[in-house]
Amino acid sequence: KRRLLIFSDSRQDAAFFATYLENSYSQILQRRLIVSTLEKYREIAIRNKWRLQDLTGYIKRRLKELQLYPKLGDQSLENEAWKWVLYEFMANDRAIGLEGQGLLGFTPVLPSGWSPPPALCNPPWNLTEQEAVTLMMVLLDTVRHKGAIIYPDNVDPNDTFFTPRNREYYFTKCAPVQGRVLSWLPANDGGINTRWDYLMRLPSKNGEPATYKHAYELLKGIWDVLLTGQDHRAAWKDYFYSFIDGRNGTVFGLRPEYWELRPAIIDPDVKWYRCTKCKRLTLHNIRGVCPTFRCKGKLVACEPAKDLSRNHYRKLYTNTLPLTMYTHEHTAQLTTDKAAEIQKLFSDGEINILSCSTTFELGVDVGDLETVFMRNVPPTAANYIQRAGRAGRRTSSTAFVLTFAQRRSHDFTHFKDPLQIVKGEIKPPYIEITNEIIIKRHMYAVALAMFWKK
């Protein structure tokens, strides 16, 4: 019967936070289930070198076993599983997602028999064959991280699940205006982008510096020959889906089915690298250069299980007990009957978290509630005491009250000296009888009352 009461000073904030909490917790459980699926089918996943579609199939199986969505049929469960996997694949949450925590990475399967062309191994970069392969991985990651993928037919890219990237993105060779169609090459003369920036920061083994033209021509050649070419050298062409867009010509998106999992949570052979400056993790390392745009940090070998063992999000994804969460809002916009119904459900424990406005300050007894959160410092000590007083109203329970200070002068003042509001004196209520506005209101009230009485 774990319950949490959250106070906000505005109705809009209370309604928003109820939805935000439920979505955030759902995402934690989704990632926890992905991790537990990999752990459960560890041997199969490693032996068969799972790809995205394989993980999706086994997540669907787990959803059926656990009956998390009892009202959904097989097709709907598959749709749900695909959304979870694609969300991680695009790394919408770069820092706190499964990839950002070193639990699950993705790499494209190398084309059969492909070997890097001489252009990648010649001056000014002089890449080894393995470094040239890694370069392709890094460049394709820049497309993946932008969400330029082809969604399966049963997944809607406009689904709010993918917010704020719930729209389709594509790449083209050169897009002058950046929008849903992104540019592989720097869009303008003398312009730069992530791919150009990375190439320019790759040091040359022979000391020969790279020029703007060198990097531009190499990117252009990779696009024209390897990714979209028309002869046998276009080994990566099948990894993209292309079609003609009315305004932008031919546009391209990655095919997820060509990508393989790197399940570091179950495979100790997966090697990660971490930037000393931006702290991002990556599977790809060429001469210690961080692939993050304009980052001057250096990549060093990393063991996420050890180096991130105390990370809050990693703990959530690997140890969270999947309890059910039901949230609801309680504001003045609700009818009296609906508000009473929600209050009862919360008291009975059927609603775990209630996000409310000031409506819950007075005259509400929710039994053995133990925990209250405040989304901001209340206006006065009286408000604080009323809100904090919702918890610990039984001798058998203990109250825990947590107040968040927002970035405003009122909250900062009480953050610096919290006892002022926790132990502050409550001023007795009073009315300024010389206030002309109050006098008029009372006169109107008396006049209207007499009118209706007559």
Side-chain angles (χ1 to χ4, degrees):
K1 201 177 179 180
R2 299 178 179 178
R3 293 169 301 153
L4 170 64
L5 184 61
I6 302 175
F7 279 99
S8 301
D9 270 345
S10 70
R11 178 185 64 83
Q12 293 86 351
D13 193 33
F16 163 79
F17 202 62
T19 303
Y20 170 78
L21 269 178
E22 190 162 329
N23 290 343
S24 298
Y25 188 67
S26 295
Q27 192 171 77
I28 292 170
L29 290 186
Q30 290 161 15
R31 288 171 173 159
R32 178 72 186 98
L33 188 64
I34 291 175
V35 169
S36 66
T37 299
L38 291 169
E39 291 172 331
K40 181 173 182 177
Y41 300 104
R42 174 193 181 105
E43 294 183 3
I44 300 175
I46 296 176
R47 182 175 67 248
N48 294 330
K49 297 182 178 180
W50 274 7
R51 300 190 185 186
L52 268 68
Q53 53 270 36
D54 300 314
L55 177 59
T56 299
Y58 277 88
I59 289 176
K60 174 185 174 182
R61 179 187 295 189
R62 291 277 283 154
L63 289 176
K64 291 185 69 175
E65 291 174 357
L66 298 173
Q67 287 291 299
L68 292 182
Y69 299 98
K71 296 181 180 180
L72 299 185
D74 282 4
Q75 183 60 62
S76 296
L77 288 176
E78 183 176 330
N79 299 351
E80 193 70 18
W82 262 115
K83 289 195 296 185
W84 295 10
V85 173
L86 289 176
Y87 192 89
E88 299 305 318
F89 177 64
M90 292 185 289
N92 283 346
D93 296 327
R94 291 286 300 277
I96 65 173
L98 295 181
E99 187 173 27
Q101 293 300 311
L103 295 167
L104 176 63
F106 307 89
T107 57
V109 180
L110 284 178
S112 179
W114 181 76
S115 59
L120 295 177
C121 305
N122 289 339
W125 290 279
N126 296 303
L127 300 176
T128 65
E129 185 169 323
Q130 182 54 53
E131 287 175 337
V133 171
T134 303
L135 175 63
M136 292 299 299
M137 303 285 184
V138 172
L139 296 178
L140 291 177
D141 265 354
T142 65
V143 179
R144 172 170 69 92
H145 289 153
K146 288 294 186 181
I149 69 169
I150 302 301
Y151 290 78
D153 292 337
N154 56 324
V155 178
D156 181 6
N158 298 312
D159 194 313
T160 54
F161 179 88
F162 298 106
T163 302
R165 280 197 194 164
N166 52 328
R167 58 184 299 193
E168 290 179 290
Y169 291 87
Y170 303 102
F171 262 80
T172 190
K173 182 177 178 179
C174 189
V177 180
Q178 298 288 299
R180 69 180 186 89
V181 178
L182 306 166
S183 181
W184 174 264
L185 296 172
N188 304 306
D189 290 340
I192 63 174
N193 62 16
T194 302
R195 288 163 292 283
W196 177 90
D197 171 70
Y198 181 70
L199 287 172
M200 291 299 293
R201 287 187 288 113
L202 280 180
S204 174
K205 285 187 176 180
N206 62 1
E208 182 180 346
T211 65
Y212 182 94
K213 184 177 180 181
H214 284 142
Y216 187 92
E217 290 299 324
L218 182 59
L219 284 176
K220 182 174 179 293
I222 290 174
W223 181 269
D224 290 340
V225 178
L226 300 183
L227 304 183
T228 64
Q230 300 300 318
D231 58 28
H232 67 281
R233 295 176 296 173
W236 297 85
K237 184 175 182 179
D238 290 340
Y239 289 57
F240 284 82
Y241 174 84
S242 64
F243 68 95
I244 297 177
D245 179 79
R247 297 177 58 186
N248 301 283
T250 303
V251 294
F252 300 82
L254 285 176
R255 294 180 182 269
E257 58 266 31
Y258 281 92
W259 288 71
E260 190 173 292
L261 306 185
R262 289 290 179 264
I265 184 63
I266 59 172
D267 187 355
D269 293 333
V270 177
K271 294 182 179 180
W272 289 96
Y273 302 92
R274 193 182 192 194
C275 179
T276 56
K277 185 175 181 180
C278 70
K279 304 302 182 183
R280 282 185 173 176
L281 293 178
T282 178
L283 294 169
H284 314 301
N285 181 9
I286 304 178
R287 303 169 187 173
V289 178
C290 177
T292 302
F293 184 62
R294 285 188 166 177
C295 180
K296 296 181 180 179
K298 183 178 181 180
L299 295 180
V300 295
C302 173
E303 296 181 41
K306 178 181 178 181
D307 299 338
L308 301 180
S309 61
R310 300 183 64 183
N311 185 281
H312 173 66
Y313 291 99
R314 187 180 175 94
K315 286 183 177 180
L316 289 178
Y317 306 151
T318 55
N319 300 313
T320 298
L321 180 64
L323 299 173
T324 303
M325 176 190 284
Y326 293 108
T327 65
H328 211 287
E329 62 176 287
H330 190 286
T331 67
Q333 299 299 111
L334 300 174
T335 64
T336 303
D337 291 341
K338 185 64 176 177
E341 177 189 347
I342 293 173
Q343 181 179 328
K344 184 177 185 306
L345 291 173
F346 182 64
S347 297
D348 294 342
E350 295 185 38
I351 292 177
N352 304 79
I353 296 181
L354 195 60
S355 181
C356 64
S357 58
T358 56
T359 54
F360 242 65
E361 277 192 12
L362 295 170
V364 178
D365 185 358
V366 286
D368 56 349
L369 177 69
E370 297 181 348
T371 311
V372 169
F373 280 10
M374 300 186 202
R375 289 265 292 145
N376 54 269
V377 177
T380 68
N383 298 105
Y384 178 87
I385 291 173
Q386 289 292 348
R387 298 178 190 186
R390 298 309 98 200
R393 297 173 69 88
R394 298 290 185 272
T395 56
S396 59
S397 64
T398 304
F400 175 74
V401 181
L402 177 62
T403 305
F404 294 90
Q406 295 188 9
R407 292 180 177 274
R408 56 188 185 183
S409 59
H410 172 77
D411 292 40
F412 275 139
T413 299
H414 291 293
F415 180 78
K416 185 177 180 180
D417 182 16
L419 292 181
Q420 184 179 347
I421 197 165
V422 175
K423 296 177 64 177
E425 294 182 0
I426 301 175
K427 296 180 181 179
Y430 68 95
I431 296 177
E432 182 59 64
I433 60 175
T434 60
N435 188 307
E436 182 178 348
I437 295 177
I438 293 178
I439 293 173
K440 284 183 177 181
R441 287 182 177 178
H442 277 279
M443 291 175 64
Y444 294 151
V446 172
L448 287 170
M450 290 300 296
F451 173 78
W452 290 113
K453 184 177 180 180
K454 295 290 184 180

